[in-house]
């Protein structure tokens, strides 16, 4: 199914999200990695949030995610295992990867041109985001610890 044909996911109760990051990143880079990955997941999977809610005073705002988004930690070897296993299941999940080399690039056009010249499995990965069936996502990241 192409990106255009994907249907909104709102109401799909079996859907699970996870963001995996390198816990050794400085806090600012860690926050940036989680934010960038979350945008990628949300853009690909419409309906994970953004519902208009109105509070008791009549003020309206958009909701955040409609399900938990655990932030997990992984070292370089664990990150590669998650990346390899996830890449083999792209027909079932959304995979968002944040390679460390992306930090040195200042435009998306430059990043888009550089990616085809790189082999992500041999690059340092700062973070990975996953969205897909709960059982599958659990099998890919279930052994990882929460970031604390």
């Amino acid at each position: 199914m192409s990106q255009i044909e994907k249907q909104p996911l709102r109401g799909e109760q079996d859907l699970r999200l996870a963001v995996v990051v390198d816990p050794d990143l400085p806090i600012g880079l860690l926050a940036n990695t989680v934010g960038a990955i979350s945008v990628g997941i949300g853009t690909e999977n419409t309906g994970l949030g953004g519902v208009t809610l109105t509070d008791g005073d009549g003020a309206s705002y958009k909701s955040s995610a409609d399900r938990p988004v655990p932030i997990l930690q992984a070292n370089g070897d664990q990150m590669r295992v998650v990346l390899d296993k996830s890449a083999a299941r792209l027909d079932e999940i959304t995979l968002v990867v944040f390679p460390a080399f992306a930090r040195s690039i200042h435009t998306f056009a430059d990043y888009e041109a550089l990616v085809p010249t790189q082999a992500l499995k041999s690059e340092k990965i700062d973070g990975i985001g996953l969205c897909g069936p709960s059982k599958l996502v659990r099998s890919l990241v279930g052994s990882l610890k929460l970031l604390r």
Side-chain angles (χ1 to χ4, degrees), residues 63-131:
S63 68
S64 59
D66 67 352
R67 63 200 73 225
V69 184
I71 309 302
L72 308 171
Q73 59 182 330
N75 63 33
D77 291 337
Q78 292 169 313
M79 198 79 72
R80 272 187 241 308
V81 169
V82 171
L83 179 60
D84 289 344
K85 288 182 178 179
S86 299
R89 307 297 292 266
L90 292 178
D91 58 329
E92 301 170 80
I93 63 168
T94 298
L95 171 64
V96 178
V97 182
F98 194 114
F101 67 77
R103 294 198 193 283
S104 65
I105 302 167
H106 300 291
T107 68
F108 184 74
D110 290 343
Y111 176 72
E112 192 174 26
L114 181 61
V115 169
T117 70
Q118 307 297 310
L120 288 183
K121 60 181 157 186
S122 63
E123 294 290 335
K124 181 182 181 313
I125 304 298
D126 285 350
I128 295 172
L130 301 170
C131 179

Side-chain angles (χ1 to χ4, degrees), residues 2-50:
S2 76
Q3 290 180 359
I4 295 171
E5 295 170 329
K6 284 192 176 183
Q7 298 298 311
L9 298 172
R10 188 176 324 237
E12 288 187 26
Q13 297 303 314
D14 183 45
L15 197 65
R16 181 176 283 290
L17 305 171
V19 176
V20 183
V21 293
D22 175 350
D24 294 329
L25 289 172
I27 191 72
L29 296 182
L30 196 143
N32 174 261
T33 301
V34 171
I37 287 171
S38 297
V39 168
I41 289 173
T43 301
E44 178 67 13
N45 299 280
T46 59
L48 291 174

